[in-house]
Amino acid sequence: MDQATHNRIISFIWGIADDVLRDVFVRGKYRDVILPMCVLRRLDAVLEPTRKQVWETKALLDKARITEQSAALTAASGQAFYNTSRFSLRDLKGRGNPQQLKADFEDYLDGFSQNVQEILLNFEFRNVLARLSKNDALGTLIEKFFDFETNLSPFPVLNADRTVRLPAMDNHSMGTVFEELIRKFNEENNEEAGEHWTPRDAVRLMTTLMFRPIADRVKSGSYKLYDCACGTGGMLTVAEETLQRIAAEHRQAVKTHLYGQEINPETYAICRADLLMKGEGDQAEHIIGGAEHSTLSHDAFPAEVFDFMLANPPYGKSWKKDLELLGGKDKMRDPRFKVMHKGEELSLVTRSSDGQLLFLANMASKMNHKSALGSRIAEVHNGSSLFTGDAGQGESNIRRWLFENDWVEAIVALPLNMFYNTGIATYVWLLSNRKEARRKGKVQLIDASGWFKPLRKNLGKKNCELSEEDIARVMAAYEAFTESKQSRVFDNEAFGYWKVTVERPLRLHSQLTTKAIEGLRFASGDEDIRSVLYDELGDALFEDFGKVKVALEKRLAAWGDGDSDDEGEEDAPKKGLPEKKKKKLLDPKTWERDGRLVETATALRKTLGGGVFEDHNEFRRKVDAALDKLDRRFGASDLKLLLRAVSFREETAPPVIAKIHKPGKAADPLRGLYEASVEGKRCVVEYEPDTDLRDTEQVPLLEEGGVEAFLRREVLPYAPDAWLDESKTQIGYEVSFARTFYKPAPLRSLDEIAADIRAIEKAAEGLLEGLVKRGAA
């Protein structure tokens, strides 16, 4: 089909929407009618030659009482679908009675095979019939699709002398027309376009990056292509065409099998319909979708591996519902998101507010590790996928898994405003598990953000596109694999770091003051609760718990219900308290324990006095001895609560000892093992860490000398008593394009700055002179 015919057909169908649907539907809803009608008109035309055979086969099967008729009817139609209704779409175009037309049209729809029924169901096409019929628009709509000057049939329209008046429209041409209509409708509704439609220039870049590097290695055979967020199927279509073209250029014959999954019912229906209209009914069977088929919670292809994969997953979209269906963060066992890596289980579960990186993990889990070509993946993400998530969190773990498996070939920064509904920065991740030798252990970053062609007219937020020349420039940078202004090559480990925890010892003075002891009365409550209850109840608090409970319930009712389970939340009383904390506060045992703490601390004050103990270790030993003498027995947690209540931080105090090791343990101050003297004996001890002084550092994996050298250089000169808690060390990965490609503005020379200052001084002198003259006058 030539371009002029293509454009004329697009304009014709586009015109139907304006002619028939204006004042019946709002403009944004035109596609809900036009797209399914295009599908029906095409399917009806394709089935026309075999309609009689299908009817006859249907009659024979019914007479023989055969219930499973699908295979026989499909064979009779010669297509991947059929229609057993006694009506054709042409039969209905002359109906005059709107009610009869609606009934006959519904009978016509009911006659289609199950695969078409599913398309119509997801289009929700039957929902619009009542409005079309009520406005007497259904008959006009059907009539328009049989326009004398337009042929949507796979057979030519002939003149009386058997010459061709209108050429046939083959399956590929019909698919092209359908895709163009989808694009135009999505541009009309540009607030949604980015969700369902990836610009073709971006897809061309992705497929070029995916196929060109291995073009000469593609051999005759079958290949599986997969899109886990396939939308209307445009990416799969372009990928299939690109692979077929590259294979033909190298004299190879390939057969492609398309697989896709899509959660949006309408776009899923469009994808399947597009494949049916292209004559690829068998391919449509591998497109799974609908509202109940989320890729994250319902993997449609758990046992499949794929040769080529590409996708544009949703950005910043919550996947909380999927997470709940998978059992929550702790109980999830999906092998796509809980993987074994270097002998340990690695959780790839991201924050529930954004699941885009999970789509990349899903694809990576479906790589073919047995074939000669392996698998290649191209996926579009926004900038958050490069750096969000701390070491040990899901996003960082996904990056770690990909980089440490040496699967990331390149990441390409795209121009801003490339997509219809967002102007944010976007990036193409290119993955392969069969890297060429020079790329092994390496990752290439390409900054293509400045390579684009401006559009003459914005399409939503899209104001630029990648021309063929721009795509060629990206490929040239990729193939050169060298350092330049737009290309950098790094070792995989360059993006990794150790997140290390640096501790410093807790240093305390202790004093059994009356105020500190009184604070133990409310050790189980928030600071607000302590002050309020003490004001209301005073010393009578422990004599009658009934009073305590009444006061508590009154106060809690005033604060209201909380929505947080975080017991450490400082502003909890202002928001209300969670049930867990309320239950604890209203438990008599809690307040009885606090009463015992006050009584014991008061007895200790009488024994040890109210003076300051400058060494908390000595104070603790004296407390232990005094408790033995008083015959008081406390659990470790209660004793710790008492000791902390009467102690306060002091930088000059000796460190608090947490553990004394048996003889033979070697000292290692960098790891928190210190030589000390306890009761006159030399030993190795560990100190209690001060949480207020706790800090973390990011140490690059490529740091010369590793973590130890970093700490000796960057930490110990400023905090000689610091140590490393190796049990908390985690590995993280992040990518920074800004740090890699940022070009700071050049500094001005001193001569330029001096010249500006002299010019300002001269101007100021002129102003001052003018003011003086006006004053004298």
Side-chain angles (χ1 to χ4, degrees):
M1 179 174 62
D2 60 66
Q3 190 62 42
T5 304
H6 172 89
N7 293 341
R8 183 170 54 78
I9 292 174
I10 293 294
S11 298
F12 161 71
I13 297 175
W14 193 254
I16 293 177
D18 275 333
D19 291 345
V20 181
L21 303 182
R22 183 175 294 181
D23 301 327
V24 179
F25 296 91
V26 295
R27 193 172 184 84
K29 293 293 183 181
Y30 286 2
R31 70 181 181 190
D32 296 350
V33 177
I34 296 300
L35 292 180
M37 276 302 298
C38 280
V39 173
L40 290 174
R41 175 66 186 100
R42 175 65 178 184
L43 299 186
D44 185 79
V46 170
L47 293 175
E48 186 65 35
T50 59
R51 194 179 305 279
K52 185 177 180 182
Q53 291 94 302
V54 171
W55 289 342
E56 292 172 350
T57 303
K58 172 69 173 169
L60 288 172
L61 293 171
D62 289 345
K63 186 176 181 180
R65 297 184 179 179
I66 296 174
T67 56
E68 185 49 59
Q69 302 179 356
S70 180
L73 292 172
T74 301
S77 74
Q79 304 293 333
F81 53 93
Y82 56 84
N83 189 325
T84 59
S85 170
R86 300 299 295 180
F87 299 110
S88 70
L89 203 55
R90 187 180 296 276
D91 296 334
L92 300 176
K93 74 184 184 75
R95 293 285 193 275
N97 185 314
Q99 290 302 113
Q100 186 61 49
L101 172 60
K102 180 175 178 290
D104 292 347
F105 188 72
E106 289 176 337
D107 179 270
Y108 168 74
L109 296 180
D110 292 339
F112 274 108
S113 53
Q114 187 57 42
N115 51 0
V116 179
Q117 294 293 346
E118 186 177 0
I119 291 171
L120 295 174
L121 177 66
N122 283 282
F123 267 130
E124 298 183 351
F125 183 56
R126 294 175 190 268
N127 295 349
V128 304
L129 292 183
R131 179 177 288 191
L132 287 169
S133 179
K134 181 179 179 181
N135 288 274
D136 199 16
L138 181 57
T140 308
L141 184 66
I142 297 172
E143 192 85 40
K144 286 283 187 180
F145 271 94
F146 283 90
D147 181 78
F148 184 75
E149 293 300 325
T150 304
N151 183 24
L152 299 182
S153 165
F155 312 106
V157 176
L158 304 179
N159 293 309
D161 60 0
R162 309 300 293 171
T163 57
V164 175
R165 183 168 64 83
L166 295 174
M169 180 178 284
D170 59 30
N171 288 329
H172 178 76
S173 297
M174 186 64 212
T176 304
V177 166
F178 195 63
E179 285 194 2
E180 180 68 8
L181 286 171
I182 296 166
R183 184 188 68 80
K184 286 176 69 69
F185 278 122
N186 280 335
E187 286 173 7
E188 283 283 306
N189 303 323
N190 57 62
E191 75 282 357
E192 299 177 3
E195 295 181 17
H196 312 314
W197 181 263
T198 305
R200 281 299 173 262
D201 52 328
V203 181
R204 285 197 303 273
L205 173 65
M206 293 168 68
T207 54
T208 303
L209 284 166
M210 191 161 63
F211 292 118
R212 282 295 171 190
I214 47 91
D216 58 347
R217 294 161 54 199
V218 173
K219 305 300 180 185
S220 296
S222 296
Y223 295 91
K224 292 180 179 179
L225 283 66
Y226 171 58
D227 183 343
C228 60
C230 66
T232 56
M235 276 193 175
L236 284 172
T237 298
V238 175
E240 180 183 37
E241 292 171 353
T242 305
L243 178 57
Q244 294 281 4
R245 184 172 63 253
I246 286 174
E249 289 171 0
H250 291 78
R251 302 180 183 280
Q252 302 295 318
V254 300
K255 182 173 177 58
T256 53
H257 302 280
L258 307 184
Y259 293 77
Q261 191 163 349
E262 171 57 36
I263 190 173
N264 182 280
E266 183 194 42
T267 49
Y268 161 63
I270 292 171
C271 181
R272 285 186 61 113
D274 192 25
L275 291 173
L276 279 180
M277 288 190 295
K278 291 174 181 175
E280 300 184 67
D282 57 331
Q283 305 280 28
E285 296 305 311
H286 294 144
I287 306 298
I288 308 298
E292 72 281 11
H293 286 289
S294 168
T295 297
L296 298 184
S297 57
H298 295 95
D299 183 9
F301 311 105
E304 293 284 356
V305 294
F306 301 97
D307 304 294
F308 301 103
M309 295 174 262
L310 70 171
N312 178 13
Y315 314 147
K317 183 177 179 181
S318 171
W319 69 289
K320 187 175 182 180
K321 182 179 178 182
D322 293 285
L323 183 60
E324 292 170 354
L325 291 171
L326 288 168
K329 205 164 191 174
D330 297 325
K331 295 181 180 179
M332 180 195 292
R333 305 311 310 164
D334 193 309
R336 296 174 297 164
F337 310 132
K338 289 287 180 75
V339 300
M340 291 304 298
H341 180 67
K342 295 189 174 181
E344 65 172 309
E345 185 179 70
L346 201 62
S347 172
L348 309 183
V349 181
T350 67
R351 299 161 300 151
S352 61
S353 60
D354 187 359
Q356 63 177 298
L357 266 175
L358 291 174
F359 288 87
L360 190 58
N362 167 67
M363 283 189 163
S365 73
K366 299 181 184 300
M367 280 183 160
N368 187 340
H369 296 285
K370 296 180 180 179
S371 68
L373 278 180
S375 295
R376 293 182 66 78
I377 296 172
E379 192 163 300
V380 184
H381 287 268
N382 69 13
S384 68
S385 291
L386 299 172
F387 51 80
T388 53
D390 202 355
Q393 294 181 338
E395 293 89 345
S396 180
N397 282 347
I398 290 175
R399 291 189 292 269
R400 177 188 173 189
W401 182 55
L402 298 177
F403 281 112
E404 292 187 353
N405 277 309
D406 198 20
W407 291 338
V408 183
E409 269 196 1
I411 303 176
V412 181
L414 300 177
L416 297 176
N417 301 310
M418 270 279 295
F419 291 78
Y420 296 114
N421 67 340
T422 178
I424 62 175
T426 50
Y427 303 81
V428 174
W429 289 62
L430 186 66
L431 275 60
S432 170
N433 61 346
R434 292 287 188 273
K435 285 186 178 181
E436 56 181 307
R438 63 175 179 156
R439 289 185 177 272
K440 289 187 181 297
K442 305 286 185 181
V443 175
Q444 184 180 14
L445 302 186
I446 300 174
D447 181 13
S449 60
W451 295 340
F452 59 86
K453 181 177 73 174
L455 292 177
R456 286 177 294 179
K457 178 184 176 183
N458 286 11
L459 300 174
K461 291 188 177 180
K462 181 177 173 64
N463 65 7
C464 65
E465 65 179 354
L466 295 170
S467 66
E468 292 300 328
E469 293 75 18
D470 295 321
I471 294 174
R473 291 173 76 180
V474 175
M475 284 307 301
Y478 170 86
E479 289 166 352
F481 194 59
T482 55
E483 297 278 327
S484 69
K485 288 184 178 180
Q486 282 79 30
S487 171
R488 297 290 305 278
V489 178
F490 298 92
D491 292 331
N492 289 335
E493 294 81 5
F495 302 106
Y497 61 90
W498 290 290
K499 180 186 177 184
V500 298
T501 300
V502 179
E503 301 282 15
R504 293 182 64 190
L506 180 65
R507 300 172 185 273
L508 298 176
H509 282 179
S510 303
Q511 187 176 17
L512 288 159
T513 64
T514 303
K515 183 178 179 181
I517 293 170
E518 287 297 331
L520 285 166
R521 291 184 182 278
F522 311 100
S524 303
D526 290 279
E527 203 169 309
D528 289 351
I529 294 175
R530 296 176 192 171
S531 59
V532 170
L533 292 182
Y534 191 71
D535 288 345
E536 291 184 7
L537 302 172
D539 293 334
L541 182 61
F542 302 107
E543 297 173 6
D544 183 358
F545 183 73
K547 286 185 178 181
V548 176
K549 189 172 182 181
V550 170
L552 275 172
E553 289 174 339
K554 178 181 177 183
R555 181 54 51 189
L556 292 174
W559 278 329
D561 295 327
D563 56 3
S564 170
D565 288 329
D566 183 359
E567 293 198 27
E569 192 172 352
E570 292 181 358
D571 65 343
K574 299 171 187 174
K575 297 169 62 177
L577 293 179
E579 288 300 321
K580 186 177 179 181
K581 182 174 283 187
K582 287 181 184 178
K583 186 176 180 181
K584 183 178 180 181
L585 286 173
L586 293 173
D587 186 350
K589 293 180 181 178
T590 298
W591 297 89
E592 288 170 8
R593 184 204 63 179
D594 292 352
R596 289 195 304 273
L597 289 175
V598 173
E599 292 171 5
T600 301
T602 302
L604 287 173
R605 176 179 167 83
K606 289 180 181 178
T607 303
L608 302 178
V612 175
F613 290 83
E614 296 185 348
D615 186 342
H616 183 75
N617 302 300
E618 180 64 22
F619 174 69
R620 193 166 54 194
R621 284 192 287 272
K622 289 189 175 183
V623 166
D624 288 341
L627 288 175
D628 286 340
K629 188 175 179 180
L630 293 169
D631 195 25
R632 302 257 182 167
R633 297 290 179 268
F634 266 11
S637 62
D638 289 350
L639 179 59
K640 184 176 181 180
L641 191 61
L642 187 154
L643 293 172
R644 289 297 172 84
V646 298
S647 302
F648 50 92
R649 295 172 66 248
E650 176 56 55
E651 291 183 6
T652 60
V656 176
I657 296 173
K659 183 178 181 180
I660 302 174
H661 286 278
K662 294 179 180 179
K665 185 74 172 180
D668 186 356
L670 191 66
R671 290 167 178 79
L673 299 172
Y674 295 90
E675 283 190 0
S677 178
V678 178
E679 297 181 342
K681 296 180 181 179
R682 301 300 298 174
C683 57
V684 172
V685 301
E686 292 182 34
Y687 295 132
E688 188 83 24
D690 187 336
T691 56
D692 288 342
L693 297 179
R694 180 175 293 155
D695 198 6
T696 59
E697 299 282 352
Q698 286 191 5
V699 183
L701 295 183
L702 296 180
E703 174 76 25
E704 188 174 348
V707 173
E708 185 169 335
F710 178 89
L711 293 180
R712 292 190 186 282
R713 186 183 73 249
E714 300 292 340
V715 177
L716 294 182
Y718 314 102
D721 58 354
W723 76 87
L724 168 69
D725 185 348
E726 288 186 315
S727 68
K728 294 185 174 121
T729 298
Q730 292 181 306
I731 294 177
Y733 274 77
E734 64 181 22
V735 180
S736 175
F737 262 78
R739 188 165 59 239
T740 302
F741 293 103
Y742 174 68
K743 303 177 184 67
L747 296 175
R748 300 168 65 207
S749 68
L750 291 176
D751 290 340
E752 290 175 318
I753 296 172
D756 283 350
I757 293 173
R758 285 193 293 270
I760 293 170
E761 288 176 341
K762 188 174 182 180
E765 289 174 1
L767 289 172
L768 182 60
E769 184 179 349
L771 289 171
V772 170
K773 286 181 178 179
R774 284 196 296 273

